Amino acid sequence: MSSSYTIKSSPASPPRRAPLVDFSNDVDFEELNPVLFESGSPNVKEHGATENSDDNSTADTESQSFRERDEWDNQWEFLLSCISMSVGLGNIWRFPVTAYENGGVKLLFSAFLVPYLCVLFFIGRPIYFMELSLGQFSSYSQVKAWKLAPMFKGVGYGAMISTMSVITYYVYVMSLCIRYFLASFNSDLPWATYQEHWTAEGGSCYNNTENTSIPEMYYKCEVTKELTTIENGIGWPDVKLSGCLIISWILIFASLVKGVKSSGKVAYFTGIFPYFVMITLLIRGATLEGAWTGIMYFITPRWEKLLEPQVWYEAVTQCFFSLNTCFGSIIMFSSHNKFRHNIYRDAWIVSLMDTCTSLLAGFTIFAVLGNLAFIQGTDVSEVVKGGGGAGLAFISYADAISKFDWYPQIFAALFFIMLFTLGLGSTISDVGTVITIFCDRFPKVVRWKVTLVASILGCSADTNPGGEWIMELVDFFGGSFVIFTTAILELVGVAWIYGVYNFIDDIEFMLKKPAGWLGLYWKVCWGLIIPIFMTGILIYSLADGGITPTHNNLQYPLVALVCGWVIALLALMSLPGGAIHSIMQAPGDSFKEKFFRALKPSPKWGPRNPLHRLLGCSTRDLALN
C-alpha cells in the first residue's frame, strides 16, 4: 500500500504517485498560492468537487470558514488541554476504589493493573489517536468530520447528546466542590461537627440518619438535602447550591468565550495545578499514622480476580471514560491544530499521563484513608463510603482531612479546589464540543453568543433535593450504553466503511510519514479488536446492570424512567435519523444508488485547507467510484 498522493483530476482513481510538493519543510500556503484562499475563488470551487447534498454549506463558505477557524497559539496549550480533558474526576474518585475492589494495582504485576494496561494499549490509546487524527485531518468537529462516511453522521449527534448529559453531571459536581471549598474557610470544618437541626423534627434528615457519620449527614442534610424518594417530586432548588452552580458556569463561559484562544490559556492552570495539589496531599498523607496500611490495601494484588469478567469490564470502562474517548472533545480539540502537528506523540503522552495520574491519585487517596482507618480503629475498606464517587470525595476523604492535626482547612480547600479544577478542565472540553458543532453547522454565528446561550441554559441544571437522583438518571441513560453504542459505530464507520487502509494513508500523508509507518498494530486494533471487544462490553454491561437504574438500591418512579428513556432514545434515534437523512440527500436515481453513495466519502472529505486538498488528498478519499 503506497502512501503517495496525487491531485484529483477525474472521478476515476488513477494510480498513486509521489506528492507534487516537498513537505519536508513548513510552507506558508497562503503566500505560496493566495488565489486559493480568496473567498469565492473558482479554484476552490473547482477542486471542492461536486457539492454533496448532505452538507448545506458551499465551497465558498468552507474556504472562508477555513481562514477564520482558530488555531492553538502553541503546541503546549493543545497538549495541556488534552491532559486537562482526560485527567478528570474519574482519576481521583473512581480509579482508586475500582482498582482496590478489583484486586489492587501492585506495580507491574497486579490483578487490576494488568487488564487496565492491556485495555489502555489495545483500546484506549488507539481510539484516542484515531480521534485526534480524524479531527486534525478534517479540521472539523465530530459531526462535520463524518464527511468520510455521511451515513454515520448520526453518530456525531448521538455522542453530542451523551456529552450534554455528562456536562450536567460534571457541573453539578463542580457546584458541590465550590460549596465545600467555601465551607473550608470556617474556623471549624462544618462537616466535622454535628448540628442538631439536621435531625430535628421537620429537618432535612429527620428519621434518616441511622448509622450515618457526621460528614455523611453534612453532605446529605446540609449540602444536597437529598430526598429518600422522588415519588412526590424533586423539591425546590437549594439557594446556596444554585449560587455555586452559577459561579461554575460563569467560569466555564469565561474559559470558552474566545474559543481555544481563551481555553488554551486556562489549560495552563487546569492541566498543572491538580498535580501540585496531589503531590502536596501525598506528602502530607504519607507522614500520617496508618498511611502505609492504606497504601498497601491499594497495591496488594488478589490474583484470583484476573479470572473474573467484571475486572476486565471495570478496566475497560475506567480507561474508556477516563480518556474521554468518543464524546467528541478529542476530535474538537485536534480540529484546531495545524495540519501537520505531531498528534502521534501527543497521544502517547496523554495516555501515559492519564495512567500515571490515576496511580498518583490512588496513593494519595489511600494514604489519607489509611490514617482515617487508624484513628477509627477499623479496616480501610470500612471507611470508603459509597464505593467511590461523591461518597469517596465528599464524605470519606472530607472526614479524613477534618481529622488532620495541622490546619485541616488548608488541605480541605486545596483538595476541593483541585476537584473543581479537574471538573472544569473536562467540562470546558465537553461544552466546547457542543458549541463547536453548532458553529461548524452555522459558520456565520458569533461564537461568544452561542457560548453565552449555552451557559445560561446550563444554569438551569438541577440543584434540587432530588438532584442526586436526577444526575444518576441522566448519567445512566445519557451516557453508559449510549456512548458504548456510538463508540462501536464510530469504529465501524472509520475502519470498516471508510476503510482502515484509507484512514492510515490519510494519517501518513498528514504527518509526512512513509508508507507502512503505521503498522499491523493499528490495523488490528481499529479494524478488529476494538469493535469486537466493545460490542462484548456493551452486551455484558446490559446483561449485568440491566436497563433499569437504581439510586441507593431504591427504584426510580415510572415517570423518572420515562424521562430517562426519552434522553436515551433521542441519542439512539439520531443514529438511524442521520443515516436516513444522508440517504435521502445523496445523489442518485434509485434508493440503492443513494444508499451506497451515502456510505462513500463526500466529495468534500479531505483537509479543510484548499491547498492541502489539491496537493495531498488521497484519490481514494475523494473519488466518486
Side-chain angles (χ1 to χ4, degrees), residues 19 172 180 195 227 249 267 271 311 326 354 409 411 437 485 531-532 551 577 582 611:
Y172 176 77
Y180 270 78
Q195 301 292 329
L227 297 175
W249 275 107
V311 174
C326 299
D354 182 75
Q409 293 87 349
F411 294 100
I437 290 173
T485 303
I532 294 176
H551 177 71
S582 296
L611 192 57

Side-chain angles (χ1 to χ4, degrees), residues 138-164:
S138 65
S139 295
Y140 278 120
S141 59
Q142 69 195 58
V143 174
K144 285 275 190 175
W146 280 107
K147 291 179 180 181
L148 90 168
M151 189 181 290
F152 284 75
K153 67 180 180 181
V155 173
Y157 287 112
M160 181 189 71
I161 295 174
S162 289
T163 301
M164 294 169 65

Side-chain angles (χ1 to χ4, degrees), residues 418-487:
M418 177 192 70
L419 283 185
F420 177 83
T421 303
L422 291 171
L424 179 63
S426 299
T427 305
I428 286 174
S429 65
D430 290 339
V431 177
T433 297
V434 177
I435 292 172
T436 303
I437 290 173
F438 188 86
C439 291
D440 279 352
R441 180 63 182 82
F442 304 101
K444 293 184 179 181
V445 300
V446 181
R447 186 182 182 93
W448 75 264
K449 293 182 179 180
V450 179
T451 306
L452 179 61
V453 171
S455 301
I456 293 174
L457 293 176
C459 290
S460 63
D462 201 2
T463 57
N464 309 72
E468 294 267 317
W469 289 77
I470 300 302
M471 291 304 106
E472 287 195 21
L473 186 76
V474 170
D475 184 54
F476 180 88
F477 283 105
S480 191
F481 66 91
V482 172
I483 202 63
F484 275 122
T485 303
T486 58

